[in-house]
Amino acid sequence: MIQAAAFYLFATIVIASGVMTIASRNPVHSVLWLILAFFNAAGLMLLLGAEFIAMLLVIVYVGAVAVLFLFVVMMLDVDFAEMRAGFAKYLPFGTLLAIVLLAEIVFAIAAWNAGSIATGVRAAPTNAAVPNIEALGTVLYTRYLYIFEGAGLVLLVAMIGAIVLTQRTRSGVRPQNVSAQVRRRPEDATRNVNQPVGQGVEL
Amino acid sequence: MTEWFQGTLGYGLGWFTATLILILMIALPLMLAVAMIIYADRKIWAAMALRRGPNVVGPFGLLQSFADGLKVFLKETIIPSSANRGLFLLAPIITFTLALIGWAVIPFGPDMVLANINVGLLYILAVSSLSVYGVIIAGWASASKYPFYSALRAAAQMVSYEVSVGFVLIAVIIWSGTFNLQGIIEAQRSHVWIINGFGFNPLLFPMSVIFFISALAETARAPFDLTEAESELVAGFQTEYSSMSFALFWLGEYGNVLLMCGLNATLFWGGWLPPIDWAPLYAVPGIFWFFAKILIFFFIFSWVKATVPRFRYDQLMRLGWKIFLPISLLWVFLVSGYMLATKQQCPADRSILTRITTEEEADRYMPSCRTGMTNLRSGRLAAGAQS
């Protein structure tokens, strides 16, 4: 009973905050609603017993991705009139996307009803006594090791690509060179001069 | 206690009541501790500056925090006219709540933990990565430039240090083999000869130092308090706040500091275990050792605050990305390499692997564990694994 109540609470908030994400006028509010949606999706994962996925959702999406979203959106100066002007232009494309998504959801529900999930369960039996981090780790690092490492490699390439694409060498900057500062001794900066009286110092 | 309530009130309601009481048993003493720790912070800071510190309200000024709280409570709540009203009021509540909920998984003693969950450490990481939202929302909703600068700084700072904290935690997890905080504490029992604690291990000690410094940065304490650098940003993200909303920020900040001290103690210095694995020391309740360790760490936090000058912003980023990240990454390699070289690589007897069912599969995935596999299969059968 409590689980059902929690499910309906989380599911309602996910849907409501999803609607608010696209309905809010202010982009910052949109991002905050999106964060609420992520958070409640993590709650749903928890109800399914996938505590590892739930925590990852919060750490990765809420804690890192959404922070960067918020970071960018906060500094945007969005012109709402201009955004509304584009509405008619993007309407056909948006409608197409919506129809595709709707069709996919219908197919997914039909597939669920047809009981094909059961074959998935048979193909990958899991033990309820094993914590799901351990179960995931066992599968990822044995059977799917190469695929997993391949995914890691793709991410590495993406990371290097992002750094290479955004790197630019600027002239005229004077970055701090810490090792040069630490290496500098008093002898490098000062010298003792036996200065005769009545004469100016030559530097 | 939960069983007693479930016996008298029924299963669901009993559980609910018991959990509610347990939450209050953590939250209320925590609030009192925060009040006293603010006093302690000011006293330590004053002593290091050869001043007296608060000494007027109550004996030795002990009631200073409560007097301050009362004063703040009686002030008028001012909301700037251009501020985003809802978010402006939400921000301190988020900060305060997140400072409290992290304590749910912290073990205070052998059986004293509110939620003994499998993913305790991930939960802590999730809570600490969420705590940046209080600051960002406060900075944005104030509609004022100094809080906004502060919010941007906070976002960049916390995201940067989260990375090295993550690697430090991975090293600890590799060593202890679990995400559960009780399990991590148990793994530290007699870790180095008879001494309890990962921090006494020469291989993990550098990680504990990195974790401590990153904890300073995560909680925006000096020398990383760029988010509220008073010489540049007035009071940072809390510039526009007054009255109770300001007090909530204050309480949340110190609650976070205490949580980080507790986490330092739990991950590296044995949590509720006494420092030495020697029977008479276990006569002292575990909660005493845990609190003693928290207080030592808090003293170090205050010590750093009193003695170290504030970092410049580029130095802060340099430390996080160019020094801590490579070192902690290298250390994860070192720790896992050491574990690989010394510990049993193959799954332990009777451990249950979900996918390996036949000898051929075992051969393919773990060729060096050929001999262990028969045990593996019998363990699998003994545990009644479904396939």
Side-chain angles (χ1 to χ4, degrees):
Chain A
M1 202 277 284
I2 294 174
Q3 281 195 339
F7 169 77
Y8 283 115
L9 179 72
F10 287 141
T12 315
I13 296 178
V14 168
I15 292 172
S17 49
V19 169
M20 288 306 289
T21 305
I22 49 178
S24 353
R25 289 284 177 85
N26 193 326
V28 172
H29 290 181
S30 282
V31 176
L32 292 173
W33 284 116
L34 185 66
I35 291 164
L36 191 63
F38 282 151
F39 208 77
N40 284 283
L44 287 178
M45 293 289 177
L46 219 54
L47 285 182
L48 281 175
E51 72 263 13
F52 181 60
I53 307 284
M55 289 301 156
L56 276 197
L57 201 63
V58 174
I59 293 171
V60 176
Y61 280 91
V62 182
V65 174
V67 169
L68 297 180
F69 268 16
L70 203 57
F71 204 98
V72 173
V73 167
M74 276 197 313
M75 288 189 284
L76 284 181
D77 191 18
V78 182
D79 187 355
F80 292 105
E82 197 181 325
M83 274 176 71
R84 272 192 223 102
F87 183 73
K89 203 171 96 186
Y90 293 115
L91 187 62
F93 185 63
T95 320
L96 185 71
L97 270 186
I99 290 171
V100 169
L101 276 179
L102 185 70
E104 281 182 352
I105 289 172
V106 170
F107 279 134
I109 291 171
W112 176 278
N113 285 338
S116 56
I117 302 296
T119 55
V121 172
R122 270 199 300 279
T126 50
N127 190 325
V130 178
N132 60 45
I133 300 177
E134 210 177 312
L136 264 177
T138 313
V139 174
L140 280 183
Y141 287 101
T142 54
R143 169 162 288 208
Y144 300 114
L145 180 65
Y146 294 123
I147 301 173
F148 183 67
E149 302 229 310
L153 213 60
V154 169
L155 282 178
L156 181 68
V157 170
M159 194 168 80
I160 294 172
I163 292 169
V164 169
L165 285 177
T166 53
Q167 211 213 358
R168 57 196 166 116
T169 44
R170 282 184 297 176
S171 58
V173 289
R174 299 173 66 197
Q176 184 183 17
N177 186 344
V178 174
S179 70
Q181 288 176 339
V182 172
R183 262 187 282 122
R184 193 169 151 102
R185 299 288 117 195
E187 302 84 63
D188 304 335
T190 58
R191 69 193 154 100
N192 284 330
V193 184
N194 192 5
Q195 185 66 21
V197 179
Q199 284 182 7
V201 181
E202 292 275 334
L203 286 175
Chain B
M1 194 179 91
T2 311
E3 286 78 28
W4 186 81
F5 272 104
Q6 284 178 338
T8 47
L9 288 174
Y11 185 77
L13 191 64
W15 176 83
F16 184 75
T17 318
T19 309
L20 208 62
I21 290 173
L22 286 175
I23 290 173
L24 288 179
M25 275 169 65
I26 293 177
L28 294 182
L30 181 65
M31 285 297 94
L32 195 65
V34 164
M36 294 324 289
I37 222 86
I38 291 174
Y39 164 78
D41 198 23
R42 296 173 67 177
K43 268 297 200 200
I44 294 167
W45 202 6
M48 293 200 186
L50 296 180
R51 292 181 285 114
R52 283 180 189 280
N55 64 348
V56 174
V57 190
F60 310 106
L62 275 170
L63 300 178
Q64 182 66 47
S65 297
F66 301 100
D68 285 346
L70 190 66
K71 180 191 78 180
V72 163
F73 187 68
L74 295 174
K75 297 276 179 187
E76 182 193 354
T77 306
I78 299 167
I79 300 176
S81 56
S82 58
N84 196 315
R85 205 183 164 84
L87 290 179
F88 186 82
L89 291 176
L90 186 68
I93 298 174
I94 290 178
T95 304
F96 180 71
T97 315
L98 287 172
L100 285 183
I101 63 172
W103 287 92
V105 295
I106 299 281
F108 294 95
D111 298 312
M112 293 169 76
V113 52
L114 178 62
N116 193 7
I117 56 175
N118 280 335
V119 285
L121 208 49
L122 285 178
Y123 175 85
I124 293 276
L125 204 60
V127 169
S128 77
S129 66
L130 285 180
S131 60
V132 66
Y133 280 109
V135 177
I136 295 188
I137 293 174
W140 184 78
S142 297
S144 163
K145 58 173 166 288
Y146 291 123
F148 189 64
Y149 281 141
S150 165
L152 293 183
R153 282 183 178 189
Q157 177 178 338
M158 291 194 189
V159 169
S160 315
Y161 280 85
E162 200 89 330
V163 183
S164 50
V165 164
F167 280 121
V168 171
L169 295 187
I170 285 175
V172 171
I173 290 163
I174 287 175
W175 207 291
S176 56
T178 174
F179 281 84
N180 181 313
L181 287 170
Q182 287 284 26
I184 289 172
I185 291 175
E186 282 299 332
Q188 296 179 48
R189 198 186 286 273
S190 316
H191 182 63
V192 181
W193 188 43
I194 57 162
I195 307 172
N196 295 330
F198 283 147
F200 297 103
N201 181 338
L203 197 56
L204 285 174
F205 179 72
M207 294 308 254
S208 77
V209 174
I210 290 181
F211 186 74
F212 178 76
I213 298 173
S214 301
L216 287 175
E218 283 274 305
T219 51
R221 288 279 293 191
F224 304 110
D225 54 346
L226 283 254
T227 53
E228 46 198 284
E230 52 285 268
S231 54
E232 304 159 25
L233 298 178
V234 194
F237 59 90
Q238 45 197 350
T239 305
E240 304 290 344
Y241 283 86
S242 57
S243 183
M244 276 318 280
S245 50
F246 175 75
L248 282 183
F249 269 127
W250 207 229
L251 291 174
E253 202 168 296
Y254 276 89
N256 263 330
V257 168
L258 275 183
L259 181 68
M260 278 297 171
C261 293
L263 213 54
N264 264 301
T266 307
L267 293 179
F268 288 103
W269 306 99
W272 45 262
L273 289 169
I276 297 169
D277 199 30
W278 182 48
L281 289 180
Y282 286 96
V284 180
I287 194 164
F288 168 80
W289 294 113
F290 185 56
F291 283 172
K293 286 167 186 173
I294 289 185
L295 289 181
I296 290 171
F297 270 105
F298 186 76
F299 179 75
I300 304 176
F301 266 62
S302 298
W303 191 0
V304 170
K305 180 180 176 177
T307 48
V308 182
R310 183 179 295 135
F311 268 53
R312 220 171 49 209
Y313 191 69
D314 61 313
Q315 292 172 332
L316 175 94
M317 283 295 152
R318 180 177 170 274
L319 185 69
W321 288 106
K322 291 189 181 172
I323 300 175
F324 279 179
L325 181 60
I327 291 180
S328 51
L329 195 57
L330 175 74
W331 231 266
V332 169
F333 274 105
L334 280 182
V335 168
S336 41
Y338 177 80
M339 295 305 282
L340 206 62
T342 55
K343 298 286 151 93
Q344 191 189 7
Q345 292 176 30
C346 305
D349 285 2
R350 303 180 67 80
S351 63
I352 297 147
L353 297 182
T354 43
R355 294 304 295 268
I356 297 175
T357 47
T358 61
E359 294 279 336
E360 297 87 73
E361 276 188 328
D363 240 10
R364 198 183 321 148
Y365 298 125
M366 297 177 187
S368 58
C369 297
R370 176 94 194 159
T371 49
M373 280 302 136
T374 40
N375 289 334
L376 197 85
R377 289 181 64 208
S378 56
R380 195 182 144 76
L381 292 175
Q386 305 278 315
S387 59

